[in-house]
Amino acid sequence: MHKDLDYVMFDQETISRRVEEMGRMLTEEYAGKSPVLLCIMKGSLVFTADLMRHLDLPCTLESITLSSYRDMATRPGAIEVASPVNLDLTGRDVIILEDILDTGKTLSFTLNLLKLQNPASMKLVVLLDKPSRREAPVEADLVGFTIPDAFVVGYGLDYDQKYRNLPCIGVLKPSVYS
Ligand code: IMP
């Protein structure tokens, strides 16, 4: 275990089994279709890379990068698209892939933005869901794991841009924050 982790919430094998299962479910559901996978960077990069290899579908891949300023007292809740959205999702079946659904503010913003492009359908797939923290009315269509209110890192998720490369998902030691 990494020295900065308090404990491991999901080990590599548990994540891998669940992601494979999610891939099978999506493959069945989208049979005969060619969905576009929309990876919300950077946290969903690892999840997307693993999940897409379990999709037996002629899918395509796009990404979007967002900046959240939700921790800044001056601009609470403000989110911006940090990379230009030059996507054309018109008439496409879009599968949005997100690492974690927390307050829901990021995804609420993203879903509204993407709806403007008139996709044929949109499905929200998240690896982790923290329902106890929800502030915006967003629910995922498919959830990997429902977790309690703890700050987790690894498997793409970061603290201060670090720990994304950990193969497991774990809770940081409080001493790391101070
Ligand atoms: P929301 O807008 O509050 O739902 O936050 C979503 C974003 O916050 C995620 O895409 C993550 O980047 C970040 N986030 C929320 N909770 C955690 C966590 O426990 N660990 C790492 N990042 C998190």
Side-chain angles (χ1 to χ4, degrees), residues 70 98-106 130 150-152 157-158:
R70 66 197 177 118
E98 175 66 309
D99 52 357
I100 187 163
L101 178 51
D102 187 23
T103 65
K105 286 180 180 172
T106 308
K130 273 194 231 176
F151 193 84
V152 289
L157 289 142
D158 76 305

Side-chain angles (χ1 to χ4, degrees), residues 21-149:
E21 197 172 60
M22 292 168 87
R24 272 203 306 271
M25 290 164 85
L26 291 169
T27 298
E28 273 177 29
E29 196 171 334
Y30 284 85
K33 295 184 176 171
S34 309
V36 50
L37 307 177
L38 185 63
C39 170
I40 304 187
M41 298 290 266
K42 302 170 195 169
S44 311
L45 190 149
V46 180
F47 174 45
T48 301
D50 281 349
L51 181 74
M52 68 187 293
R53 283 176 286 174
H54 292 295
L55 293 181
D56 189 8
L57 294 166
C59 54
T60 57
L61 175 66
E62 299 290 350
S63 67
I64 181 174
T65 303
L66 306 172
S67 290
S68 171
Y69 298 92
R70 66 197 177 118
D71 293 329
M72 287 172 61
T74 48
R75 302 182 61 192
I79 297 162
E80 285 176 357
V81 179
S83 72
V85 195
N86 52 0
L87 299 168
D88 185 8
L89 301 176
T90 315
R92 299 295 307 273
D93 293 302
V94 183
I95 304 177
I96 301 160
L97 299 174
E98 175 66 309
D99 52 357
I100 187 163
L101 178 51
D102 187 23
T103 65
K105 286 180 180 172
T106 308
L107 280 169
S108 169
F109 169 87
T110 310
L111 293 172
N112 286 335
L113 192 80
L114 297 174
K115 270 182 208 153
L116 297 176
Q117 296 213 0
N118 293 316
S121 70
M122 276 204 309
K123 181 176 281 288
L124 177 58
V125 176
V126 300
L127 179 65
L128 304 174
D129 186 12
K130 273 194 231 176
S132 60
R133 297 246 317 154
R134 202 78 84 252
E135 289 177 36
V138 179
E139 290 312 321
D141 300 292
L142 180 58
V143 174
F145 304 99
T146 299
I147 64 167
D149 181 11

